[in-house]
DNA sequence: TCTGGGGTCCTAGGACCC
DNA sequence: TCTGGGGTCCTAGGACCC
């Protein structure tokens, strides 16, 4: 059986953990740049505020005092997430951390009554030790555990725990689950299914497997099997990420190549740092630029390009240089850019890099590796005290809107003291 | 005025090999 | 007139997740 533990309204709950005055109030947390709503409390959901709503559409509610708003603080959420996960680890022979706010506990061979007791204990302990409310779904497949979790969240009668352990319960739950609520059925396929009369998860599992394969391919079949009670989605045992991407929208649109270079080199430097933190190197780097897709009065342009490294690398000077080379290649004058990003790919273990016998740049590379190591030793807190001259001066958050940030409760002692 | 960021997997088609 | 069969690898784009 699988236990899916999912934090309720996670970002909002993180804010509430340190600001109890937000308890019971309608609250939303905004994306980077204060762009749109990415988390809602139950109260703000009940007001009809949708996920992804641009902030300017609900600003009036905030101004009138009907809605509380916070800019997102990913450092804080990451910290609280690790605390939650470390509690879960005590309960599970095997823990699969699926995202910042949810994890599967693989609980083979444990009697159902015991599982229910564990679920209850998890809810109590996470609430008391971290201050975050969680819900638990229990079922024989990951997809069904997701379904069960929805019920646990939606209906207070479950007291946070919902179990799907018999065919009868499974069929009942599927009949009550709209097809677009199913894990693995997205916004493209849901309308397709609706059009041919599949409205609920039960409608979906009633169709023949071949029908599903024709319409949705092997992914659809996997979801179909899981909903019918056969586990086929395995956890991906991966040591390292396959790609790392650093991208941001700008508070204002940028046209000047000099200004854009500062941002792109910053993103590249962050990618390089993330690589080194994981003991990885990348064989390929990509850069993309984006004009403002919401301004149909302006010319649109979404270029991207790649560059391969002769030897996979993680050093900042080399990665930044490559990013700027690509940027200059794809940059076009007259475009007003709203967003840019750097992606590093073909990621491998830094310990097993294949050197090149005829590598002419070996000395330079080693020197740049040493420079990067020193940067890491100085920039321990994540701030870029030491950076390349082509990078942007100041804090990386400059030029990113963040007008509603609450305290740095988990990283700044004085701000924590303030609330006490 | 104002619209996020970071991932994964699969598939089709092209280029190439014998 | 008629033009094989069987592979691999890579890439871009689509779909999905949080």
């Amino acid at each position: 059986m699988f236990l899916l533990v999912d934090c309720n309204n996670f970002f909002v709950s993180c804010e509430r953990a340190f600001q109890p005055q937000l308890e019971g109030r309608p609250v939303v947390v905004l994306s980077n740049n204060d762009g749109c709503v990415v988390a809602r409390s139950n109260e703000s959901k009940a007001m009809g505020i949708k996920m992804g709503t641009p902030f300017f559409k609900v600003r009036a509610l905030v101004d009138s005092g009907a809605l509380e708003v916070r800019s997102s603080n990913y450092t804080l959420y990451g910290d609280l997430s690790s605390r939650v996960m470390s509690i879960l680890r005590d309960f599970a022979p095997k823990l699969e951390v699926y995202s910042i706010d949810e994890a599967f506990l693989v609980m083979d061979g444990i009697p159902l009554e015991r599982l229910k007791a564990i679920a209850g204990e998890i809810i109590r302990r996470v609430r008391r030790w971290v201050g975050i409310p969680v819900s638990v779904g229990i079922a024989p497949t990951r997809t069904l555990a997701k379904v069960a979790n929805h019920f646990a969240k939606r209906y207070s009668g479950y007291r946070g725990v919902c179990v799907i352990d018999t065919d009868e319960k499974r069929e009942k739950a599927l009949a009550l689950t709209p097809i677009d609520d199913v894990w693995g059925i997205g916004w493209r396929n849901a309308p397709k299914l609706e059009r041919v009369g599949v409205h609920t998860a039960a409608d979906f599992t009633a169709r023949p497997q071949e029908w599903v394969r024709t319409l949705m391919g092997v992914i659809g079949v996997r979801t179909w099997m899981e909903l019918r009670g056969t586990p086929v989605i395995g956890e991906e045992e991966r040591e390292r990420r396959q790609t790392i991407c650093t991208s941001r929208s700008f508070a204002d649109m940028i046209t000047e190549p000099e200004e854009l270079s500062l941002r792109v080199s910053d993103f590249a430097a962050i990618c390089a740092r993330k690589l080194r933190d994981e003991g990885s190197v990348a064989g390929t780097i990509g850069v993309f630029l984006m004009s403002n897709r919401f301004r149909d009065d302006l010319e649109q342009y979404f270029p991207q390009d790649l560059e391969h490294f002769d030897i996979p690398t993680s050093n900042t000077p080399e990665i930044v240089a490559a990013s700027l080379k690509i940027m200059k290649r794809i940059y076009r004058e007259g475009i007003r850019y709203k967003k840019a990003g750097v992606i590093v790919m073909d990621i491998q273990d830094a310990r097993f890099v294949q050197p090149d016998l005829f590598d002419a740049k070996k000395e330079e590379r080693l020197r740049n590796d040493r420079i990067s190591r020193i940067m890491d030793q100085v920039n321990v807190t994540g701030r870029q005290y030491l950076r390349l001259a082509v990078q942007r001066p100041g804090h990386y958050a400059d030029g990113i809107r963040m007008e509603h940030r609450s305290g740095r409760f988990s990283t700044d002692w004085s701000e924590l003291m303030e609330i006490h």
Side-chain angles (χ1 to χ4, degrees):
Chain A
M1 295 289 270
F2 296 92
L3 258 76
L4 172 61
V5 179
D6 193 315
C7 300
N8 303 346
N9 316 323
F10 183 56
F11 295 172
V12 169
S13 297
C14 290
E15 296 291 336
R16 279 177 171 169
F18 292 94
Q19 301 158 88
Q21 70 273 21
L22 296 179
E23 213 67 55
R25 298 264 306 139
V27 184
V28 295
V29 174
L30 303 178
S31 64
N32 243 346
N33 229 19
D34 290 348
C36 56
V37 171
V38 292
R40 304 158 295 157
S41 68
N42 289 345
E43 297 79 8
S44 52
K45 284 177 189 169
M47 289 166 66
I49 297 170
K50 299 271 179 283
M51 185 74 172
T53 305
F55 177 47
F56 66 85
K57 291 191 176 169
V58 295
R59 173 164 282 163
L61 291 170
V62 175
D63 292 343
S64 72
L67 180 66
E68 295 284 346
V69 62
R70 294 293 180 272
S71 301
S72 40
N73 180 348
Y74 292 103
T75 310
L76 177 70
Y77 310 152
D79 280 352
L80 294 198
S81 175
S82 343
R83 296 181 198 182
V84 171
M85 298 308 169
S86 82
I87 291 174
L88 299 185
R89 232 174 286 280
D90 288 341
F91 290 95
K94 193 157 169 239
L95 184 73
E96 301 165 13
V97 177
Y98 178 68
S99 75
I100 193 165
D101 74 331
E102 63 188 288
F104 291 103
L105 284 70
V106 187
M107 310 293 264
D108 292 333
I110 300 171
L112 191 66
E113 283 313 308
R114 178 83 193 111
L115 290 183
K116 288 185 195 164
I118 288 174
E121 182 56 25
I122 286 174
I123 291 172
R124 277 187 295 277
R125 202 177 281 187
V126 175
R127 184 73 207 221
R128 184 167 309 163
W129 293 6
V130 196
I132 302 287
V134 302
S135 305
V136 184
I138 306 178
T141 71
R142 292 177 180 79
T143 308
L144 285 172
K146 279 279 207 181
V147 172
N149 192 280
H150 277 208
F151 282 92
K153 268 211 180 64
R154 204 152 328 153
Y155 304 105
S156 55
Y158 286 109
R159 306 174 67 82
V161 185
C162 174
V163 185
I164 298 177
D165 61 323
T166 64
D167 270 343
E168 194 195 343
K169 287 187 199 167
R170 184 177 63 82
E171 280 158 23
K172 205 168 154 190
L174 294 189
L176 289 169
T177 301
I179 188 65
D180 60 334
D181 276 0
V182 174
W183 190 45
I185 308 287
W187 65 284
R188 302 295 300 212
N189 279 316
K192 262 197 250 174
L193 290 164
E194 294 274 1
R195 268 199 295 282
V196 292
V198 174
H199 307 294
T200 67
D203 296 337
F204 185 67
T205 51
R207 300 292 173 119
Q209 186 183 130
E210 273 317 302
W211 182 87
V212 174
R213 177 181 297 276
T214 310
L215 196 76
M216 302 173 61
V218 297
I219 309 239
V221 172
R222 247 175 245 171
T223 298
W224 182 86
M225 300 270 289
E226 288 251 327
L227 286 174
R228 289 167 65 103
T230 310
V232 289
I233 297 180
E235 87 282 19
E236 310 299 331
E237 295 248 339
R238 208 185 303 286
E239 297 234 328
R240 57 197 70 239
R241 289 182 282 181
Q242 303 182 111
T243 61
I244 292 173
C245 174
T246 305
S247 73
R248 295 284 182 279
S249 294
F250 312 131
D252 303 300
M253 290 182 275
I254 294 176
T255 48
E256 294 308 313
E258 294 77 17
E259 176 67 15
L260 205 52
S261 297
L262 295 177
R263 312 298 180 113
V264 168
S265 53
D266 236 14
F267 300 154
I270 295 171
C271 283
R273 175 64 194 260
K274 289 177 184 167
L275 281 168
R276 295 195 295 272
D277 284 347
E278 301 184 0
S280 299
V281 289
T284 305
I285 176 172
V287 174
F288 63 87
L289 306 175
M290 297 175 83
S291 53
N292 190 337
R293 65 196 166 101
F294 296 103
R295 291 285 300 270
D296 36 7
D297 56 322
L298 299 176
E299 189 180 354
Q300 296 297 314
Y301 183 48
F302 307 102
Q304 58 170 81
D305 204 0
L306 302 173
E307 186 91 358
H308 296 283
F309 296 110
D310 297 333
I311 313 275
T313 183
S314 68
N315 77 59
T316 298
E318 198 176 354
I319 287 177
V320 166
S323 75
L324 291 177
K325 186 174 163 194
I326 300 171
M327 197 215 94
K328 292 193 173 96
R329 202 153 63 212
I330 60 181
Y331 172 83
R332 222 168 73 194
E333 244 174 81
I335 302 289
R336 304 179 68 186
Y337 298 95
K338 178 64 179 167
K339 180 174 177 173
V342 173
I343 308 173
V344 287
M345 291 164 278
D346 300 338
I347 293 176
Q348 357 166 346
D349 192 325
R351 292 172 300 171
F352 307 126
V353 173
Q354 179 69 51
D356 181 345
L357 197 54
F358 306 103
D359 184 4
K361 293 187 181 157
K362 188 170 173 195
E363 288 310 313
E364 187 186 338
R365 214 183 310 277
L366 290 175
R367 184 167 160 272
N368 284 334
D369 284 342
R370 282 198 300 275
I371 289 172
S372 304
R373 267 200 298 280
I374 291 166
M375 289 171 76
D376 293 347
Q377 284 163 18
V378 173
N379 300 334
V380 275
T381 61
R383 277 188 82 139
Q384 305 202 53
Y385 297 105
L386 199 53
R387 60 179 176 266
L388 303 184
V390 291
Q391 283 181 255
R392 196 153 48 116
H395 190 255
Y396 89 99
D398 295 348
I400 291 173
R401 209 170 284 121
M402 199 155 50
E403 289 168 4
H404 309 275
R405 189 183 56 76
S406 55
R408 297 189 166 96
F409 301 118
S410 67
T411 47
D412 187 327
W413 183 242
S414 59
E415 297 205 25
L416 186 59
M417 288 307 283
E418 225 168 85
I419 65 163
H420 285 286

